[in-house]
Amino acid sequence: MPAVNSQPRRARSGNRRDEAARVAVLHAADDLLVEHGFGALTVEAIARRAGVAKQTIYRWWPSKVEILLDTLIEDTAKRLPVPTELPTASGIRAYLRDFADFLAADPAGKCLLTLLAEAQHDPGTAASFHERYLEPRRIAEIEMLTRATEAGEVSPVLGPEATMDALLGPIVYCALTGVAVPRDLVDTLAENILRPRA
Amino acid sequence: MPAVNSQPRRARSGNRRDEAARVAVLHAADDLLVEHGFGALTVEAIARRAGVAKQTIYRWWPSKVEILLDTLIEDTAKRLPVPTELPTASGIRAYLRDFADFLAADPAGKCLLTLLAEAQHDPGTAASFHERYLEPRRIAEIEMLTRATEAGEVSPVLGPEATMDALLGPIVYCALTGVAVPRDLVDTLAENILRPRA
Amino acid sequence: MPAVNSQPRRARSGNRRDEAARVAVLHAADDLLVEHGFGALTVEAIARRAGVAKQTIYRWWPSKVEILLDTLIEDTAKRLPVPTELPTASGIRAYLRDFADFLAADPAGKCLLTLLAEAQHDPGTAASFHERYLEPRRIAEIEMLTRATEAGEVSPVLGPEATMDALLGPIVYCALTGVAVPRDLVDTLAENILRPRA
Amino acid sequence: MPAVNSQPRRARSGNRRDEAARVAVLHAADDLLVEHGFGALTVEAIARRAGVAKQTIYRWWPSKVEILLDTLIEDTAKRLPVPTELPTASGIRAYLRDFADFLAADPAGKCLLTLLAEAQHDPGTAASFHERYLEPRRIAEIEMLTRATEAGEVSPVLGPEATMDALLGPIVYCALTGVAVPRDLVDTLAENILRPRA
DNA sequence: AGCTAAACGAGACGGTACGTCACGTCTTGGA
DNA sequence: TCCAAGACGTGACGTACCGTCTCGTTTAGCT
């Protein structure tokens, strides 16, 4: 679905990158992943669905996982921002709940799980995934946690890195094993690991 | 002639399954995974390395992930049994530490992570992995936890299912993201989630 | 269909060749050829259909074409004997007509065409086919022709070998190309090549 | 740079069919057939020998017999044209002699016999072989015969179809049975079947 | 009556080729 | 300069048969 407007033919780009082709590829990849699973996510299928030539994909993305990574980064920025300004205990708890919902329900959540999985199979994917997604988020999360601790909102029983692993780990593990995150799991974890003020 | 292996030639199996071929396939798959990664784990490569015909693999395993699953099940039974008899708080803590070491260092640990990853890509793999590995282990773990609780060894802050997710999740998440599990993470988690007697 | 009687189990043979298995194989091969074509004529399919183990086939026949050859030889002896006693011009003409009908209509005719075809593909088949089928028949045909010539029944315009090629060639060629042998072709050929007395 | 073949590397084709690959496949198939027989004529062997990918073969030919058919059609057009302009009795006789030599000596002759044989095994092959080779040639031959008859060059004892079967049949039959066509067979047949003027 | 030897059904085995799919690279020709 | 289109070499897929090889059973014929 490359066309984004009512014109029968997309305005072709000439010698600049075709933005319509770019978003068509991202959408096609995401749609294929959600609708038919990772097995159907081939470069040829993406090109077919996006109405784009295969070469156009190879020109701009080194592999199909980078497409997913682009999608994930854009979607996460919109739907799951890390709260960094004046974080409170309840703000952090809300963030954890949002994260659980994101993994369980959002199409981009499937995208994250897929990338985490593919990173186990391929070192290159792992490197990209860490560098472009995990590390930046982790830095923001650590900052969130540090500020909250300094403000006396929370007093975690572990260092910031380990605290984030202790909080996110169970949520991710439940998502990976197809288990719905229990309602009280997040709250009890926050209570016992973060030790909020109230 | 009491000796059964005086010839270097492998004893052929007749019309019964060839045990030597079976273990050769399991070893070949494990070796390929550890040495060259999941990308090199093709059925043809396994057959080549095991000195076995491709058809022999397809005769006994519906897919290559079932081979890994067989390997994982056999190896886990040997190297990471769930302690079910008279479990103590320190026994559970030791189990968690062993699990972290298993994921980090054992070849079969890579196998587990690979299966967990592949389960994200393919529903069939997910079903097999749950049915043949995760569920049986989870049942044993729940029993371990229940007995320890009844014996007063521990008094967990969550139900048994959620407790196991809270304990195993961070370990798995660290392994998946390539982070070494911090020394104090497991112990502090056990302290705050399980609340042992002592 | 190995069983030839009402007993649920065929009487097993002990340490002598099992005649029931032999004819079951011949029939299965012929049936498969006629019903599903040469492509379906695999050793495994023959064994399956005959209710016989593959090894039993390999024990007695070096290849599947030898099975067809056995069938052809038995059937030809019954249904298309070469008239050698006191041959007449009309006897030879009748033989040619029978041969045309045999190729067109008899299951064993398909068998002959198949063997002639397979002989083009494989020298071993060609050797067996010549030695066991073509040569013996040719010798009998030449004798038939020679006797008829000596008796003054016919006075062929070519030597006996070439005469047989001139008479049989068109019939075989029509069968190979799927053309029905025209009614007058055989008769006119006989008239102009054999030059019968009357 | 006017030269197109200054590099040893073959010029790649872009998005048009690669003519070099096409002829390489035809030659490889013919060579394999002549050198090692039909048994060695596998698609994989053709691809290997032609230096071409298997998929390139499957992209353009539905089966290996179509490759042979292409070869045969091209070669026959060059080496064994049917004389259609002002055919004479001796012209027809020469055509028959050329046909016999073609079958006996020319590589493409083996190709024809192979196709005729394979047509016995597979109805699809038979259909293609008739439609693309036998029928067009037969039409040209019938026209040749009709013209010669109308010009009074010959007065055949049979209709044109049956006449061609009577003339070609013995030649093909000899070739199929590995018998060298006797020198006088063709001439005597022509004399007695065609009845030329002189 | 028991023993030996052969043929049997069953079917696992190491192989080869099949025809299909997707990969990533390349070239053409149009905008 | 970018793009759609698509042919190409590469290599793995899962399947079908090949011909060989045990297995354990059955039976004929000899001790």
Side-chain angles (χ1 to χ4, degrees), chain C residues 51-95:
Chain C
V52 143
K54 224 173 16 158
Q55 186 57 39
T56 299
I57 295 180
Y58 283 109
R59 184 161 21 238
W60 299 109
W61 291 275
S63 76
K64 67 190 175 192
V65 302
E66 296 287 334
I67 301 174
L68 288 183
L69 203 39
D70 279 8
T71 306
L72 178 62
I73 288 170
E74 295 199 3
D75 288 358
T76 308
K78 282 183 214 149
R79 295 204 269 264
L80 194 68
V82 180
T84 47
E85 298 297 324
L86 302 176
T88 63
S90 66
I92 297 176
R93 189 155 43 214
Y95 173 67

Side-chain angles (χ1 to χ4, degrees), chain C residues 12-15 42-44 54-55 58:
Chain C
R12 287 287 298 280
S13 57
N15 63 358
T42 68
V43 174
E44 307 216 324
K54 224 173 16 158
Q55 186 57 39
Y58 283 109

Side-chain angles (χ1 to χ4, degrees), chain B residues 171-196:
Chain B
I171 296 171
V172 170
Y173 185 63
C174 283
L176 287 170
T177 54
V179 172
V181 182
R183 299 179 176 278
D184 59 342
L185 177 56
V186 172
D187 292 346
T188 307
L189 275 177
E191 188 71 26
N192 287 276
I193 303 296
L194 287 177
R195 297 196 180 276

Side-chain angles (χ1 to χ4, degrees), chain B residues 12 14-15 42-44 54-55 58:
Chain B
R12 284 293 298 281
N15 64 354
T42 68
V43 174
E44 306 217 324
K54 211 168 32 152
Q55 187 57 45
Y58 284 109

